[in-house]
Amino acid sequence: YQALTDNELCIRLARQVVDCRMDMQRQILKRTLNRGAEPDERLGKVIKQIKVLQRMLPSVDSLDRLRGFEGSVAALYFSVFNSLLSRELPPELKFSGRNRRPPKDRVNALLSYGYSILLKDVVQAINIVGLEAGFGFYHQPRSSAPPLALDLIELFRCLLVDIPVINSLNRLQWNSTEDFIVSPNQVWLSDAGKRKFIEIYERRKADSWKHPVIGYSLSYARMIELEVR
């Protein structure tokens, strides 16, 4: 509790979290650019813009400015998100821009559902470790979501939601009618779609990755708890 009253410490932790998310977003775009048969000028330009903003992060000295940086990078990332998706996808599974509360297309429905599941997993890890999810160092208590959980999901959004969504779309795993409920103002996953998403998500959580600090492989599920600790 005392640490969370230290403004400099909160900014330092928040900068690390934002830098991590920016870097993963840039790496996802870069991987797609490198795989392309032809240079994608728009994708290359966005990657360079994100890198410039990353270099400016150490000079950011307030949480409000940091949120502005994060918002700018998110806007850049989602402006080219459709370039990450297969051209073989039907028109109804294309991405036209990030929207939520409620999601207005199928890709946004997948992203929003994934982030909600990830949030629950992070809250569970926080409770297991014994921290207070209601006090965060970056996000403010503006909704029912606990601020500390919102802080920590930034480390895992790309790894556990964005990449599985992109990969499953590109493998043509989604049925645009059976897996979604579409109304004039919003799109949700059907029960079948939710079951399919949870299966994809749990499979991804079981994947292992070599942790750069401790030096051995962990599942992503175990890594969530480790990062909370």
Side-chain angles (χ1 to χ4, degrees):
Y1 292 122
Q2 186 177 357
L4 294 179
T5 66
D6 184 337
N7 189 56
E8 288 188 12
L9 175 63
C10 288
I11 291 173
R12 178 170 62 82
L13 290 172
R15 268 200 303 255
Q16 291 176 337
V17 166
V18 172
D19 184 57
C20 180
R21 182 178 175 185
M22 284 184 177
D23 196 60
M24 284 188 284
Q25 288 172 327
R26 183 171 61 86
Q27 293 298 335
I28 289 173
L29 299 181
K30 190 175 178 181
R31 184 180 65 178
T32 302
L33 181 68
N34 291 340
R35 277 207 309 252
E38 299 178 4
D40 187 326
E41 292 184 8
R42 191 166 173 232
L43 205 56
K45 185 178 179 180
V46 166
I47 291 168
K48 289 177 182 177
Q49 288 174 307
I50 292 176
K51 196 167 186 178
V52 168
L53 289 170
Q54 267 189 285
R55 288 173 178 164
M56 296 169 65
L57 269 183
S59 66
V60 178
D61 56 2
S62 77
L63 293 177
D64 284 339
R65 283 191 65 207
L66 196 57
R67 291 185 195 102
F69 268 68
E70 183 189 16
S72 296
V73 171
L76 287 168
Y77 172 70
F78 284 115
S79 74
V80 292
F81 195 83
N82 203 52
S83 298
L84 310 179
L85 304 179
S86 170
R87 295 179 182 178
E88 297 177 17
L89 284 169
E92 57 269 25
L93 285 172
K94 295 292 185 180
F95 181 83
S96 58
R98 182 73 177 118
N99 54 71
R100 53 193 180 132
R101 296 176 187 169
K104 293 178 172 55
D105 60 64
R106 291 165 176 82
V107 178
N108 276 288
L110 291 170
L111 292 171
S112 293
Y113 187 68
Y115 296 148
S116 68
I117 293 177
L118 174 59
L119 182 67
K120 290 178 182 177
D121 278 347
V122 173
V123 169
Q124 183 180 20
I126 290 170
N127 291 334
I128 288 171
V129 171
L131 294 179
E132 172 52 66
F135 293 91
F137 52 84
Y138 179 38
H139 289 85
Q140 302 302 309
R142 294 174 180 169
S143 68
S144 60
L148 184 58
L150 292 175
D151 290 348
L152 294 173
I153 68 169
E154 300 297 349
L155 300 172
F156 297 99
R157 282 180 187 267
C158 291
L159 291 169
L160 291 178
V161 180
D162 293 13
I163 290 175
V165 166
I166 292 165
N167 290 344
S168 61
L169 284 165
N170 289 341
R171 292 181 187 129
L172 307 179
Q173 290 181 250
W174 296 98
N175 185 302
S176 59
T177 54
E178 294 177 4
D179 294 330
F180 301 91
I181 299 171
V182 181
S183 71
N185 299 315
Q186 60 191 41
V187 179
W188 303 106
L189 269 73
S190 65
D191 288 343
K194 289 176 181 177
R195 287 193 295 270
K196 185 182 292 186
F197 192 101
I198 290 170
E199 183 180 336
I200 292 169
Y201 176 78
E202 291 296 331
R203 205 160 46 231
R204 176 64 173 173
K205 276 203 318 182
D207 286 346
S208 295
W209 182 72
K210 186 175 181 180
H211 197 285
V213 176
I214 61 177
Y216 59 85
S217 293
L218 296 170
S219 69
Y220 286 116
R222 177 69 182 87
M223 207 172 296
I224 292 174
E225 184 182 332
L226 179 67
E227 288 303 326
V228 176
R229 292 188 183 281

